[in-house]
């Protein structure tokens, strides 16, 4: 009798386990049957449950994705745990899907880490496609897409560029800090009417720290919580919850970055001392219309915040890349300098109106964006509706990753891509030049393209032209007087910063130093 009861208890206790196994097998079968009816693009073989995650290295993932492209074609299908992913390794495929079919390819993956845990849920980069996205996009396009509006920012761009030159004359060893100040000075005045007056400005410092800590906390889609959202509920005392502690720390920085300058503009508006700015304009319009709700305030904070956080980091990266390239290729620098000397002459500094007369400089800057694409994998899009491309199924909910790095490194488009070579563009036809211009891919695609690309490109052009016109640039020296030759290397991260390097800046003459001082003084007074 006891034996019978023991057997019954054994059967009873085993039933839940058997049921669980049956459910798992059934779920796997259903998923198999569901996927079997689709014909996905070719890609690397995936393992059950983990998909292709085990094949991706921790660093420089764009290189592995490019390998997949060379093996399987420019449209690659992979799975990262349960999430299907479509990797685009050519400009043609990216344009066809994310621009020509943008109605289906403009959404964003959930980004649980960035949005829900870190608090970046009110910035355009992370908004799902919908009414709120269109609202932010409209504001930013009105502020940056119109040529007339962008031309209105030129006095600020000039003043901050001359301040950059002054800083390079006075303390060239701090050139990295001068670049951050330059980019922050331009953007903070446009976004908030705030003038940066020192290298250790508090708003610049907190925004930079926020950006750095966000990257340390995890790139978009890179953390397990993005693939298994239930992990967001893990208690802080449990092992493995360190990502949440870091995320909550970042969230406090994000609130400072968004709230502090916004409150500053609000106070200035109340006292009648507010300078013209993106934030002030939106606040005044909302007050006049009676629509300034808490939600509307958060939208203004997010729209203004993305101008600063997204705009400065990538712009500084482009300028660091420019300086690194010029240090390593001083023949290119001297050739660009000769062009500017010939066109501009010794009595003034380059200005926006000179751009069309400086074709070699244009080639240099194209090559800067190509040599080191600032955001190698862009920000992933998401597919909102099932699609078919080249006879292959693109499933709803798939993450779409444009491999911008490979689009700018493909040897079939750019022979010897590792070499910095502005001359590659010199003798192209107009059609070839347009097709190979890396600026057509590095700013993103479709309805998610960077709305400030014209403004950012103009800022980089003006700063680069004026550095070339006024500075001799070369290797720094060690204690024995030997050249310190920097490495042409870039960090692995969401934004591809050049690795830290040193170099030497010197004003070309005392006359040029005087011209810089004069232009700085005049533009401080008039802008």
């Amino acid at each position: 009798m006891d034996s019978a009861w023991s057997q019954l208890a054994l059967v009873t206790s085993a039933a839940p386990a058997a049921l669980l196994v049956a459910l798992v097998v059934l779920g796997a079968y259903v998923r198999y049957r569901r996927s079997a009816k689709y014909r996905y693009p070719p890609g690397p073989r995936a393992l059950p449950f983990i998909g292709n995650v085990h094949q991706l290295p921790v660093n420089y993932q764009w290189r592995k994705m490019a390998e997949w492209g060379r093996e399987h074609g420019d449209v690659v299908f992979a799975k990262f745990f349960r999430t299907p992913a479509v990797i685009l390794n050519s400009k043609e495929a990216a344009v066809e899907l994310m621009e020509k079919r943008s109605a289906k390819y403009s959404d964003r993956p959930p980004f649980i880490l960035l949005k829900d845990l870190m608090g970046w849920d009110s910035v355009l980069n992370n908004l799902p496609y919908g009414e709120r996205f269109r609202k932010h996009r409209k504001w930013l396009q009105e502020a940056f897409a119109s040529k007339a509006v962008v031309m209105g920012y030129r006095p600020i761009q000039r003043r901050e560029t001359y301040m950059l030159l002054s800083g390079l004359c006075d303390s060239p060893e701090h050139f990295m800090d001068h670049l951050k100040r330059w980019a922050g000075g331009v953007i903070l005045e446009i976004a908030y009417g705030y003038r940066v007056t020192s290298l250790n400005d508090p708003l610049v410092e907190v925004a930079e720290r926020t950006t750095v800590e966000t990257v340390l906390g995890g790139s978009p889609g890179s953390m397990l919580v993005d693939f298994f959202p239930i992990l967001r509920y893990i208690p802080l005392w449990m092992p493995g919850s360190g990502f949440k502690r870091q995320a909550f720390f970042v969230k406090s920085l994000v609130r400072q970055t968004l709230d502090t300058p916004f409150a500053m503009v609000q106070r200035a508006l109340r006292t009648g001392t507010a300078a013209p700015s993106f934030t002030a304009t939106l606040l005044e319009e909302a007050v006049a219309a009676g629509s300034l709700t808490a939600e509307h305030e958060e939208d203004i904070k997010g729209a203004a915040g993305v101008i600063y956080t997204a705009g400065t980091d990538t712009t500084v990266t482009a300028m660091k890349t420019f300086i690194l390239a010029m240090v390593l290729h001083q023949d290119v620098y001297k050739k660009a300098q000769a062009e500017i000397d010939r066109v501009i002459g010794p009595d003034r500094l380059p200005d926006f109106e000179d751009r069309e007369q400086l074709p070699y400089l244009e080639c240099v800057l194209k090559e800067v964006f190509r040599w080191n694409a600032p955001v190698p994998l862009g920000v992933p899009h998401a597919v909102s509706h099932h699609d078919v491309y080249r006879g292959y199924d693109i499933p709803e909910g798939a993450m779409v990753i444009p491999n911008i790095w490979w689009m700018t490194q493909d040897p079939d488009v750019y022979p010897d891509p590792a070499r910095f070579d502005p001359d590659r563009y010199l003798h192209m036809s107009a059609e070839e030049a347009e097709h190979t211009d890396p600026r057509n891919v590095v700013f993103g695609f479709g309805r998610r393209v960077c709305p400030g690309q014209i403004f950012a490109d103009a800022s980089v052009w003006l700063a680069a032209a004026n550095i070339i016109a006024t500075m001799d640039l070369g290797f720094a020296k060690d204690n024995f007087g030997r050249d310190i030759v920097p490495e042409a290397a870039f960090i692995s991260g969401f934004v591809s910063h050049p690795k830290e390097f040193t170099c030497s800046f010197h004003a070309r003459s005392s006359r040029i130093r005087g011209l810089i001082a004069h232009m700085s003084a005049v533009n401080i007074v008039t802008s």
Side-chain angles (χ1 to χ4, degrees), residues 272-474:
T273 60
S277 71
F278 175 84
T279 300
T281 297
L282 292 181
L283 276 172
E284 289 177 317
E285 289 176 351
V287 169
S291 60
L292 190 59
T293 62
E295 292 78 8
H296 197 75
E297 281 192 5
E298 189 63 23
D299 282 334
I300 296 174
K301 290 178 184 179
V306 81
I307 294 173
Y308 182 70
T309 55
T312 55
D313 199 24
T314 52
T315 304
V316 168
T317 296
M319 284 303 301
K320 286 181 183 177
T321 303
F322 163 74
I323 292 170
L324 175 63
M326 295 301 94
V327 173
L328 293 173
H329 303 87
Q330 294 179 29
D331 55 329
V332 171
Y333 191 73
K334 292 184 186 305
K335 187 172 179 179
Q337 213 166 47
E339 179 184 65
I340 286 179
D341 289 347
R342 184 172 63 253
V343 172
I344 307 300
D347 299 323
R348 65 182 183 90
L349 298 180
D351 208 343
F352 294 103
E353 291 77 14
D354 300 310
R355 188 165 186 171
E356 289 186 4
Q357 283 71 52
L358 298 170
Y360 187 69
L361 174 57
E362 202 69 23
C363 295
V364 170
L365 293 181
K366 283 183 182 181
E367 191 70 345
V368 164
F369 283 111
R370 186 204 66 78
W371 194 52
N372 177 40
V375 186
L377 292 177
V379 182
H381 292 212
V383 183
S384 57
H385 299 87
H386 172 269
D387 195 18
V388 177
Y389 179 54
R390 299 178 185 172
Y392 295 112
D393 290 286
I394 310 294
E396 178 181 339
M399 182 185 297
V400 182
I401 304 172
N403 191 351
I404 294 172
W405 177 80
W406 181 246
M407 294 177 202
T408 61
Q409 298 291 320
D410 185 346
D412 291 337
V413 182
Y414 306 100
D416 194 7
R419 188 161 70 99
F420 186 88
D421 180 20
D423 288 17
R424 71 173 77 240
Y425 305 100
L426 277 178
H427 306 296
M428 290 182 177
S429 67
E431 183 179 352
E432 287 176 313
E434 176 63 21
H435 176 71
T436 59
D437 190 339
R439 291 169 296 194
N440 291 331
V441 299
V442 299
F443 288 102
F445 299 93
R447 300 178 191 183
R448 292 282 181 177
V449 71
C450 172
Q453 60 177 316
I454 296 173
F455 171 79
D457 179 60
S459 293
V460 169
W461 182 91
L462 187 68
N466 277 272
I467 287 173
I468 293 170
T470 60
M471 298 287 157
D472 283 328
L473 182 58

Side-chain angles (χ1 to χ4, degrees), residues 253-275:
L253 294 176
V254 170
R255 288 323 316 175
Q256 288 183 58
T257 301
L258 300 182
D259 293 347
T260 302
F262 180 85
M264 176 191 68
V265 176
Q266 278 189 315
R267 288 194 299 271
L269 284 171
R270 284 195 294 266
T271 59
T273 60

Side-chain angles (χ1 to χ4, degrees), residues 28-194:
Y29 177 75
V30 169
R31 284 195 298 273
Y32 168 76
R33 292 290 298 172
R34 187 180 297 159
S35 62
K37 68 180 181 180
Y38 293 119
R39 183 169 180 254
Y40 297 131
R45 184 180 296 275
L47 293 179
F49 183 70
I50 66 172
N52 303 101
V53 169
H54 65 294
Q55 295 171 296
L56 277 180
V58 174
N59 294 318
Y60 304 104
Q61 294 177 350
W62 43 88
R63 294 176 182 170
K64 172 57 71 173
M65 293 180 182
E67 286 180 23
W68 290 345
R70 290 194 293 273
E71 181 177 353
H72 300 289
D74 61 335
V75 179
V76 175
F77 185 81
K79 288 197 78 173
F80 302 136
F81 295 108
R82 299 173 300 171
T83 303
V86 177
I87 300 151
L88 306 178
N89 282 298
S90 73
K91 174 188 171 185
E92 289 72 22
V95 168
E96 178 63 36
L97 296 183
M98 291 192 284
E99 293 190 357
K100 294 182 180 179
R101 307 187 189 188
S102 59
K104 292 183 177 181
Y105 289 84
S106 295
D107 211 350
R108 282 283 193 239
F111 291 157
I112 303 298
L113 179 69
L114 278 175
K115 293 170 60 177
D116 294 1
L117 299 182
M118 290 185 175
W120 287 111
D121 55 325
S122 62
V123 299
L124 182 71
N125 290 3
N126 299 327
L127 290 179
Y129 189 71
E131 286 304 316
R132 195 177 181 205
F133 169 85
R134 285 187 283 269
K135 176 183 180 181
H136 284 227
R137 179 107 185 141
K138 178 176 179 290
W139 285 346
L140 292 166
Q141 284 181 322
E142 289 173 350
F144 291 102
S146 161
K147 271 193 173 181
V149 173
V150 171
M151 286 182 70
Y153 301 141
R154 288 184 172 184
I156 299 172
Q157 291 170 299
R158 291 188 187 101
R159 187 192 69 234
E160 293 302 325
T161 297
Y162 301 145
M163 293 297 293
L164 170 63
L165 298 178
S166 295
L168 294 176
C169 287
D170 296 338
S171 52
E173 68 277 11
H174 298 304
F175 73 94
M176 293 285 193
D177 294 325
H178 293 303
L179 288 176
K180 293 172 188 174
R181 185 216 170 280
W182 159 77
V186 172
I187 293 296
L188 282 170
E189 184 159 355
I190 291 170
Y192 304 106
Y194 176 83

